[in-house]
Amino acid sequence: MKLFKYAGRLLVCTALLASCSKKIQKEYKLTAYTCSIESKQDNSPVGEDVTKLVDGDVYSKFLTFSRTATITIQPVKRSRLTAYSLVSGNDEPGRDPQTWTLEGSLDGKEWILLDSRSKQVFEERNMTRLFDVAVHEDYAFYRFSFSTDGHDILQLSEIELNGLWDANDERPIAKFTAGNASFFDQGAVQFKNESEQAADYLWYFEGGYPSSSTEDDPLIEYKSHGKYPVKLIASNNGYSDTILINDFVIVKRKGGWDHFQYPQINFVNKTLGGNGDLYKELVPEPIDLIKQVSLDVCHILYRSVDEVDVLEVLDYSIEDIETISAKGGNPPHINIFFSSSYLKKKKGILSDEELIAEIVGVLYHELAHGYQYSPRGAGGYARGADYFGLIEGIADYVRLNAGYSSYDYRKPGGHWNDGYKTTAFFIDWLHTKDKDFAYKLNQSAITIVPWSWDSACQDILSASVKDLWDEYQTYLKNESTN
């Protein structure tokens, strides 16, 4: 009997020792590291392709003109999933996936069902929902099959996979971040090593001083303008992993407009022989005009050619439609149309000089949309939203600054988020507080996330947008009584 008790205790102690010696694994956000992702659907618009699902930005999105989407993700090495998150898109709830399955695979050929959901609802835009899963094997591939509830467009902002790396895989994973890596003339960048399972590091900094380093977190100086790549090789026990990010450090020139990149302009007048003849008469060289306005817009919005969100292709068309003009798409490829029927309607009411000014003023507004930065987390394109107020306000401010709008339209009332002239005049007045306000406001769209009018005004002027708006209204009322 004593021997039985002793043997039992021995077995218990042995099990405890084995448990204590077992390495405790840390849970990671797997998609925060290099991973490959692909979609069976290839009909996404420019800037909304499948890579947006793992770019770490919940305000970008994947969109497909289909009610279904199959997404395959391969983390940098095998992993056991513990949970996943999905982030809804920024518009139209009907485009959210309501039904989906999640599968895992060792070889990308045979798949095992891991999770299945139906009748799911995202109650808000850019909303993160977390789903726990019980997975008992390390898989190399994970596959989602999404579908909407009948809507013919599907969208999703982000997929995040949480889990444990394969405990038997000792290969390191290279990863780094940095502080401010975009500045004028010269500066220093503090790099932060976030590699996993690595003991040694070798950095390469093209254009930097020093140009290489073996430190964990090096501080590197940059003295000449340009866009520079950064490479990190993380190694351990004979294994290594390399990460290379192009254009990671950007040292901007002041000005540099001689190097401005004009877009490829595809101009077509679809109404020649009709209303479009008037446009041709008023604007005999449309491509020259578009180039001139493109450069002028960037002069207003930016201080350096290196800051410009490059627009590579512009499709500009003259069409017989009621709406005067609109812009579609996102850089590097956008389209703009202008209404020849609107122009014909105004003939006789406005002089030819006034008609030309209307054409050019509208072009300034629409091209501003093609070049301005877009805020993230500021709501959708709907009246009253911060996003709407900023986008339309800056575009009309550009038109005003170029001399193609009139202060005769300025009057008390409205709201800073009304957009168009109301917001444009407010932005213009705010230059009495800071002569570079519009420039800083546009820059804030990429430096403040999530963006809001109040956060931007606090950052630029150390004042709330409401207090500034109230002061502006008082100014307008006093002006109208003088």
Side-chain angles (χ1 to χ4, degrees):
M1 180 64 104
K2 289 181 180 180
L3 181 61
F4 175 79
K5 285 183 177 180
Y6 178 79
R9 288 172 185 162
L10 182 62
L11 287 171
V12 170
C13 289
T14 303
L16 286 171
L17 285 171
S19 174
C20 292
S21 64
K22 186 177 180 180
K23 184 178 179 181
I24 298 176
Q25 287 184 275
K26 178 182 175 182
E27 185 173 318
Y28 291 94
K29 179 181 171 182
L30 308 177
T31 44
Y33 298 83
T34 303
C35 63
S36 63
I37 184 167
E38 63 179 25
S39 169
K40 283 189 175 181
Q41 287 67 33
D42 59 357
N43 58 358
S44 299
V46 174
E48 296 183 350
D49 60 274
V50 71
T51 63
K52 300 302 181 184
L53 288 174
V54 290
D55 64 355
D57 182 0
V58 298
Y59 299 113
S60 66
K61 72 176 179 182
F62 162 71
L63 184 145
T64 176
F65 294 103
S66 171
R67 64 177 301 270
T68 63
T70 301
I71 311 295
T72 303
I73 301 175
Q74 183 181 12
V76 67
K77 55 185 178 181
R78 288 187 179 183
S79 55
R80 187 167 76 255
L81 209 61
T82 56
Y84 64 92
S85 296
L86 303 180
V87 183
S88 60
N90 65 336
D91 58 16
E92 292 199 38
R95 298 177 179 180
D96 295 338
Q98 284 88 37
T99 301
W100 62 82
T101 59
L102 169 62
E103 300 168 290
S105 175
L106 297 172
D107 57 7
K109 298 178 181 178
E110 296 185 7
W111 296 89
I112 304 297
L113 181 65
L114 305 177
D115 194 35
S116 178
R117 308 275 173 164
S118 61
K119 298 181 179 179
Q120 298 298 306
V121 176
F122 292 85
E123 297 175 350
E124 299 175 11
R125 301 302 83 211
N126 297 115
M127 177 184 181
T128 300
R129 293 192 59 195
L130 177 67
F131 303 91
D132 293 320
V133 290
V135 179
H136 305 291
E137 189 166 357
D138 296 324
Y139 291 105
F141 302 87
Y142 292 98
R143 184 172 71 183
F144 288 91
S145 297
F146 297 108
S147 65
T148 67
D149 188 17
H151 201 289
D152 57 0
I153 296 176
L154 185 145
Q155 68 176 9
L156 194 64
S157 286
E158 198 79 1
I159 297 176
E160 298 174 355
L161 301 182
N162 299 327
L164 312 173
W165 298 122
D166 181 353
N168 297 316
D169 191 337
E170 297 181 352
R171 294 174 299 163
I173 305 173
K175 185 175 185 289
F176 67 85
T177 58
N180 181 24
S182 177
F183 41 82
F184 284 103
D185 298 331
Q186 61 181 352
V189 181
Q190 179 66 65
F191 290 88
K192 183 180 180 182
N193 196 327
E194 296 185 350
S195 302
E196 293 293 338
Q197 296 183 211
D200 300 298
Y201 311 101
L202 180 57
W203 299 81
Y204 291 98
F205 306 102
E206 182 182 320
Y209 299 90
S211 59
S212 63
S213 176
T214 56
E215 295 181 8
D216 286 5
D217 304 311
L219 179 67
I220 306 299
E221 293 185 352
Y222 290 84
K223 302 178 180 179
S224 302
H225 77 263
K227 297 181 180 181
Y228 301 107
V230 174
K231 181 166 73 172
L232 170 62
I233 303 174
S235 57
N236 188 28
N237 295 328
Y239 297 107
S240 67
D241 184 42
T242 301
I243 182 171
L244 171 66
I245 303 180
N246 290 314
D247 300 340
F248 186 84
V249 177
I250 302 176
V251 185
K252 299 176 287 189
R253 294 163 282 198
K254 292 283 182 63
W257 296 109
D258 289 344
H259 301 278
F260 181 73
Q261 179 181 329
Y262 292 99
Q264 172 190 320
I265 301 169
N266 303 316
F267 176 85
V268 57
N269 189 333
K270 297 182 178 180
T271 58
L272 283 175
N275 290 337
D277 290 348
L278 177 56
Y279 184 95
K280 183 179 180 181
E281 176 187 334
L282 296 171
V283 186
E285 301 293 341
I287 292 179
D288 289 345
L289 173 63
I290 293 169
K291 285 184 175 181
Q292 175 192 327
V293 173
S294 295
L295 180 56
D296 286 350
V297 166
C298 292
H299 271 296
I300 295 169
L301 290 178
Y302 299 102
R303 297 295 174 266
S304 167
V305 70
D306 299 318
E307 295 177 303
V308 177
D309 194 2
V310 177
L311 175 60
E312 296 177 358
V313 181
L314 168 62
D315 299 328
Y316 192 92
S317 61
I318 310 303
E319 305 182 20
D320 261 336
I321 48 181
E322 290 302 316
T323 304
I324 180 173
S325 186
K327 168 256 176 188
N330 296 292
H333 188 168
I334 69 169
N335 56 79
I336 297 174
F337 69 77
F338 184 83
S339 170
S340 58
S341 54
Y342 167 84
L343 206 59
K344 193 73 173 179
K345 187 187 302 182
K346 293 294 182 179
K347 178 68 173 175
I349 301 174
L350 301 177
S351 67
D352 284 357
E353 290 74 16
E354 289 172 324
L355 289 174
I356 293 171
E358 185 73 355
I359 291 170
V360 177
V362 170
L363 183 58
Y364 270 97
H365 179 102
E366 301 299 356
L367 277 173
H369 285 326
Y371 282 109
Q372 68 189 139
Y373 292 143
S374 293
R376 292 170 289 170
Y381 186 81
R383 290 185 180 276
D386 278 359
Y387 182 96
F388 180 90
L390 180 70
I391 290 294
E392 296 298 352
I394 283 185
D396 250 22
Y397 167 77
V398 168
R399 177 175 180 170
L400 174 68
N401 186 274
Y404 290 92
S405 187
S406 172
Y407 286 97
D408 293 342
Y409 295 106
R410 190 170 66 174
K411 60 183 179 180
H415 190 276
W416 63 81
N417 266 341
D418 286 347
Y420 299 105
K421 291 181 175 63
T422 301
T423 308
F425 290 133
F426 180 46
I427 293 172
D428 182 66
W429 177 80
L430 287 169
H431 285 79
T432 63
K433 307 288 186 181
D434 187 323
K435 63 182 179 62
D436 291 321
F437 183 80
Y439 166 74
K440 293 178 180 179
L441 183 66
N442 184 49
Q443 292 290 313
S444 75
I446 58 172
T447 59
I448 298 176
V449 182
W451 190 91
S452 70
W453 270 100
D454 199 57
S455 60
C457 288
Q458 291 284 2
D459 182 64
I460 301 168
L461 299 173
S462 301
S464 73
V465 66
K466 184 179 185 306
D467 287 347
L468 291 167
W469 178 260
D470 289 344
E471 184 181 345
Y472 170 61
Q473 292 301 304
T474 300
Y475 165 80
L476 292 179
K477 290 172 184 175
N478 290 337
E479 182 186 53
S480 64
T481 58
N482 292 335

